[in-house]
Amino acid sequence: MKIGIYPGSFDPVTAGHFDIIKRAKGLFDLLIVAVLKNSSKHSLFTIEERVTMLRDLTIGMEHVKIDSFEGLLIDFARENRAGYIVRGLRSMTDFEFEMQFARGNNRLAPELETIFFVADIKQSFVSSSIVKEIAMHGGDITEFVPDSVIDKIYTKYGKDVTR
Ligand code: PNS
């Protein structure tokens, strides 16, 4: 069984993340979208909220499972018998970081391969951080996140944005 893991903070999930889930799922018998329980990072959404948003978004997608993890990604991958890590690349800055990350993971777990998806040009500048900054000031985030999460983000910032 070919199992892939798409790890991330997903705080919140963006249109770019969702695009990668849709494109990657066909490559595997099971794609596990794994949300990091990051204790050090201050997150806008709780781990439960992030998992729920992703579950709602992927309802009806066969072979896609949403889970969370803490600690090392390679340990989570081994526990789940995954052979592949999926990551998205938006820019050269991503590339530098992702190379290091992939090499580190491969060094710790040589059986794990990382597969990169080049982000769609429309989403090439979209990140969870940029989405949060725009939403915080009441800007329009409709093109950058899936419809089902738009209001959840505005609500966090106490914004009642009518579109
Ligand atoms: O969405 P992000 O914040 O870019 O995702 C980063 C993530 C969660 C994939 C990465 O920080 C991670 O896997 N952290 C777990 C700790 C770990 O395994 N680090 C790798 C050391 S080589």
Side-chain angles (χ1 to χ4, degrees):
M1 182 149 161
K2 201 187 267 187
I3 301 176
I5 294 193
Y6 180 31
S9 303
F10 302 106
D11 184 42
V13 57
T14 66
H17 293 133
F18 191 39
D19 184 48
I20 286 171
I21 294 172
K22 288 187 281 189
R23 288 160 63 193
K25 69 179 171 51
L27 289 186
F28 305 102
D29 300 306
L30 175 64
L31 177 68
I32 304 173
V33 181
V35 187
L36 178 69
K37 294 182 192 173
N38 30 2
S39 49
S40 57
K41 257 194 191 177
H42 177 73
S43 306
L44 180 63
F45 289 96
T46 65
I47 184 72
E48 291 79 14
E49 288 171 329
R50 286 180 274 153
V51 165
T52 302
M53 283 190 285
L54 279 158
R55 287 210 174 119
D56 289 348
L57 207 53
T58 54
I59 283 174
M61 278 188 189
E62 281 178 39
H63 318 296
V64 175
K65 182 177 129 182
I66 314 297
D67 205 346
S68 60
F69 75 105
E70 50 193 336
L72 285 180
L73 177 61
I74 58 148
D75 291 333
F76 180 77
R78 281 177 170 160
E79 281 160 26
N80 286 279
R81 300 179 184 285
Y84 305 88
I85 295 170
V86 168
R87 292 285 288 169
L89 285 178
R90 290 163 302 187
S91 62
M92 287 307 282
T93 319
D94 276 357
F95 184 74
E96 294 280 338
F97 171 81
E98 294 298 337
M99 283 277 279
Q100 252 187 326
F101 184 64
R103 285 186 172 136
N105 284 326
N106 187 259
R107 186 69 176 263
L108 295 171
E111 76 279 11
L112 267 180
E113 288 292 350
T114 300
I115 298 181
F116 293 113
F117 281 78
V118 174
D120 186 289
I121 189 83
K122 290 200 294 290
Q123 269 104 38
S124 60
F125 78 96
V126 177
S127 68
S128 298
S129 310
I130 284 184
V131 165
K132 284 184 275 194
E133 197 164 316
I134 298 172
M136 185 191 302
H137 300 290
D140 186 357
I141 55 168
T142 48
E143 283 191 31
F144 312 136
V145 291
D147 289 349
S148 60
V149 306
I150 297 170
D151 288 337
K152 293 186 171 67
I153 303 170
Y154 284 133
T155 303
K156 283 277 177 189
Y157 291 114
K159 301 277 174 197
D160 182 15
V161 179
T162 35
R163 293 173 305 272

